[in-house]
Amino acid sequence: MNNTRENNFNIIRLSAALLVIYVHSFSIFHTTKKEPIVSFLHLGFGLGEFAVTVFFIISGYLITASYIKSETNFRYFKARVLRIYPGLIVVMLLTAFLVGPFLTRLDIKSYFQSIEVYLYPIKGIPLFTATSGIPGLFTENHYPNAVNGSLWTLFWEFLCYIGVAVLGNLKILNKLTVQLMMACVIVTSVILSFFSKDQFIMHSLVIVLPLFLAFFTGMLFYFIKSNIKFEIKWTCIVLISFPKL
C-alpha cells in the first residue's frame, strides 16, 4: 500500500453505504422476509454490521494518516469538521424542510408550527442527537420516529478522531499503542460475554466496542502498510471458504 490517492477507498465506501441502505430497508419496515444475501451465504452476522465495520477500518487508516500529515491540531480538526459537518447539515436541512413536509402525517401548517422541525438541524451539531425525530415523520415504521438512523455512528467516529489526536499529542501514536488498545478491547469483549446484556450500559458496550476495534484495526493497517501485500489467490480462497466458516 502506498501514500498516493490512487486507491479504491471511495468505491469500497460507496459499496458499504449502499449495503447499509439495503439492510435498513429490511430493518426499518420490519418485513418478515429475511435478507436474501445473508440467508444464501449463511452468515453469522448482519450485512449492516459488516458495512459499518468496513467504514471504521477505512476511517482508522485514513484518520491516522491525516493526523500524522497535519502540521497542527487545528489543521487536523479543521479537516475533520469539514469532512463531516457540511454534508451532515445539508442532509438534516433537506430532511426537515423538503422530505418532512411531503411525508409527515401532520398537515403542513401544524408541521411548520412545530419547534421540533427547526431544532432538528441544530440537533445534528453535537452528533449524538443527530438521529432525533421530526413530528409526524415515519411514526408507523418498525422503529417509529427514527429519522436518518444511520447517523448514530458519527458520534463514536468523531470520538475516535479525538482519540487519535490525544495519542498524537502524548507522542504515543504508534503501532505498539494501537496493538495494546486492540488487546484491551478484545479482552473487555470476552469479559462482557459472561454478563447479561439487559442493562443499557452493557448493551451499549457490546455495540460500540466492535466499532473501536475496527477503527484500531485501520490504524494498525496504516502503521504496517508497507508490509501489506494483495495476492489474488489468497483473496479467492477466503471468498470461497468464507460462507462455510
Side-chain angles (χ1 to χ4, degrees), residues 4-215:
T4 70
R5 291 183 178 274
E6 296 180 3
N7 53 62
N8 295 311
F9 284 143
N10 285 337
I11 188 63
I12 294 174
R13 284 188 289 199
L14 176 60
S15 300
L18 293 174
L19 198 57
V20 168
I21 295 173
Y22 163 77
V23 171
H24 279 196
S25 68
F26 289 86
S27 59
I28 290 177
F29 294 106
H30 196 50
T31 63
T32 56
K33 182 180 179 181
K34 295 183 179 179
E35 298 173 19
I37 297 178
V38 172
S39 300
F40 177 74
L41 296 178
H42 303 289
L43 299 179
F45 55 87
L47 292 177
E49 300 171 50
F50 173 76
V52 172
T53 299
V54 169
F55 277 126
F56 271 74
I57 291 175
I58 293 177
S59 183
Y61 181 94
L62 295 178
I63 298 307
T64 303
S66 176
Y67 180 84
I68 291 176
K69 294 175 182 177
S70 298
E71 298 176 357
T72 63
N73 287 321
F74 175 79
R75 293 191 64 177
Y76 168 73
F77 279 109
K78 177 184 177 182
R80 304 283 60 78
V81 169
L82 291 176
R83 182 73 174 181
I84 288 180
Y85 279 97
L88 174 63
I89 291 173
V90 169
V91 165
M92 300 198 78
L93 286 173
L94 289 176
T95 302
F97 299 109
L98 183 61
V99 176
F102 280 99
L103 299 182
T104 182
R105 292 195 171 271
L106 302 178
D107 60 84
I108 296 298
K109 183 178 179 180
S110 299
Y111 180 82
F112 282 109
Q113 285 179 339
S114 174
I115 188 64
E116 292 298 319
V117 173
Y118 304 95
L119 291 177
Y120 178 75
I122 299 175
K123 288 181 178 180
I125 296 176
L127 298 181
F128 62 87
T129 52
T131 58
S132 300
I134 297 179
L137 200 61
F138 308 137
T139 56
E140 296 183 2
N141 282 358
H142 175 57
Y143 295 101
N145 304 312
V147 180
N148 291 321
S150 58
L151 296 180
W152 72 272
T153 59
L154 285 180
F155 171 76
W156 300 105
E157 186 168 355
F158 203 87
L159 199 63
C160 290
Y161 297 170
I162 296 174
V164 169
V166 170
L167 294 177
N169 282 277
L170 293 175
K171 309 299 181 184
I172 56 173
L173 182 58
N174 52 52
K175 183 174 73 172
L176 178 59
T177 300
V178 175
Q179 289 173 321
L180 289 174
M181 292 191 302
M182 292 178 70
C184 288
V185 171
I186 293 172
V187 170
T188 303
S189 298
V190 172
I191 293 174
L192 289 178
S193 66
F194 294 98
F195 294 88
S196 172
K197 310 301 185 301
D198 294 335
Q199 295 182 359
F200 176 77
I201 295 179
M202 299 293 287
H203 179 69
S204 298
L205 285 174
V206 170
I207 295 175
V208 172
L209 285 177
L211 302 184
F212 288 154
L213 183 60
F215 191 89

